[in-house]
Amino acid sequence: MTLGQLREEIWNTLARYDLALHPTPPHGHHPNFLGARKAAGLLLRTPEFQRARLILAGMDAVLKPLREEALKAGKALILPHPDRPGEFVLLKDLDPRRLKRVREAYRYGVKVDLKNQPIDLVLIGAVAVDEEGGWVGKGYGFPQAWLAVEAPFATLAHALMVYPKLPVEPERRVDLIATPTRLIRP
């Protein structure tokens, strides 16, 4: 199996069983899925999220509840710029209700360089993960392969996206995987 075949298998399965939420179809995305808010609730209660003051987060729809709760809790968020790869925007002291569309984050934040940021947690979407912390993304965009941050990486996944061991080489490792029913700490 190739990375592309694995992605297609996950995207097709989520679509076939009506488990994908907006944006649909899930193809080409880190999919949003039925139960994602419940999975986010598990991740929100972890010490890693509770202690984090500065969070680097992807812009995927599946991560919206995590971004909103971070802002509500007074945490600072760094998001990738939606149109400029490699650029990042820092959001602080922002009421999440003002951020109607995540693509507008650059209007409320300031450009930052990741190098000197004390990031405590990284939130990323996923297409597939495994029990050992292996992760496969959508194949482009955030998080870029070059992204090296000394902080735990966390993601949300539907149970159908979790393998005992990925049938391909993982693109990166994650430290926390929240599903709607459990928290996986590889």
Side-chain angles (χ1 to χ4, degrees), residues 144-183:
Q144 294 88 345
W146 53 260
L147 182 67
V149 175
E150 294 299 320
F153 277 68
T155 194
L156 304 177
H158 189 279
L160 292 175
M161 298 162 63
V162 181
Y163 288 75
K165 182 160 178 55
L166 286 168
V168 297
E169 188 67 28
E171 294 179 287
R172 76 168 49 248
R173 315 264 347 132
V174 292
D175 304 287
L176 291 166
I177 303 163
T179 77
T181 59
R182 67 188 179 125
L183 187 66

Side-chain angles (χ1 to χ4, degrees), residues 71 75-79 89-94 99 105 108-109:
L71 289 170
K75 299 174 187 297
L77 273 183
I78 296 178
L79 302 175
V89 176
L90 173 66
L91 301 174
K92 289 171 76 172
D93 303 318
L94 176 67
L99 192 59
Y108 301 103

Side-chain angles (χ1 to χ4, degrees), residues 93-152:
D93 303 318
L94 176 67
D95 181 340
R97 293 175 295 191
R98 291 189 64 203
L99 192 59
K100 300 289 186 213
R101 296 180 59 223
V102 72
R103 291 190 56 77
E104 297 172 350
Y106 68 92
R107 293 182 183 173
Y108 301 103
V110 294
K111 184 178 169 182
V112 293
D113 184 356
L114 284 186
K115 287 183 185 175
N116 300 318
Q117 299 296 324
I119 296 167
D120 300 306
L121 182 63
V122 182
L123 303 173
I124 58 175
V127 172
V129 293
D130 68 25
E131 303 276 348
E132 299 172 4
W135 175 92
V136 170
K138 61 188 174 185
Y140 65 94
F142 184 83
Q144 294 88 345
W146 53 260
L147 182 67
V149 175
E150 294 299 320

